[in-house]
Amino acid sequence: MTTTEIDTPHGPARVSLHRSEEGVAALLLGHGAGGGVEAPDLVAVARAAHAADVHVALVEQPYRVAGRRAPAPAKQLDAAWLAVVDHLAAHTFDELPLVFGGRSSGARVACRTATTGQADAVLCLAFPEHPPGKPERSRQAELDAVTVPTLVIQGERDPFGRPAAAPHHEIVTVAGDHSLKTDLPAVSRAASEWLTRVLRPLVA
């Protein structure tokens, strides 16, 4: 693993890079609003991707690097993420298929930036379909706007709701809540199987 900081319009982001042996593709993973890249589900998916011969970049947003607990506004999160994507695509993952991903807030960032960042696929962990107890404030549109293959792994008891499936994305429900910690093997298995299937035509 190597760790580096990448300049963004809103301060440096920190990237922990886990290179696989061949590296048929690259998976970029962002964290949730109040947590970091050490979240158990992110770690589990990173290990599953690495085992599937996919490079993994765990991305810490500038507000976390600066020691702030409150998340930055969505536009700043998106701009910082895209700056990291541009840097890695140019200097580290030259011409490899890119999968955007993340948990909770990081999943929203991945969805919102997928088109601009030219993602080949999107992997969402615990997509927060709505704030707890406020189903009228749906974020389904962010997910529906993604036009590349997308997987959402969601806890069956997630208080942030459960997004609806659509032609471009599929939903896998696992035991547990928003943390996805209850059945990490199921999370890993779902991510691994989907990555293998989605990347096969891209790396053939």
Side-chain angles (χ1 to χ4, degrees), residues 63-81:
Y63 77 91
R64 292 277 304 180
V65 176
R68 297 190 297 272
R69 299 185 66 178
K75 288 185 178 180
Q76 292 186 19
L77 296 175
D78 294 355
W81 175 266

Side-chain angles (χ1 to χ4, degrees), residues 50-61:
H50 192 265
D53 211 11
V54 174
H55 297 310
V56 178
L58 295 165
V59 181
E60 291 182 79
Q61 285 277 354

Side-chain angles (χ1 to χ4, degrees), residues 92-168:
T92 306
F93 302 140
D94 184 32
E95 297 185 1
L96 286 177
L98 297 179
V99 181
F100 289 7
R103 69 161 279 106
S104 195
S105 171
R108 296 182 66 194
V109 172
C111 289
R112 291 194 302 260
T113 60
T115 299
T116 302
Q118 298 182 311
D120 293 286
V122 175
L123 172 55
C124 298
L125 301 171
F127 184 89
E129 202 281 326
H130 59 72
K134 299 180 179 179
E136 71 280 1
R137 292 174 56 185
S138 174
R139 289 113 171 209
Q140 181 76 35
E142 293 180 352
L143 187 59
D144 290 344
V146 181
T147 58
V148 294
T150 302
L151 174 67
V152 180
I153 303 176
Q154 203 80 358
E156 62 185 3
R157 294 182 285 103
D158 193 332
F160 288 82
R162 185 185 305 174
H168 288 294

Side-chain angles (χ1 to χ4, degrees), residues 15-48:
V15 177
S16 299
L17 179 62
H18 303 256
R19 288 183 176 274
S20 62
E21 187 172 346
E22 294 289 336
V24 298
L27 170 64
L28 287 68
L29 290 171
H31 53 76
V37 295
E38 70 282 354
D41 56 341
L42 286 176
V43 173
V45 167
R47 288 175 176 165

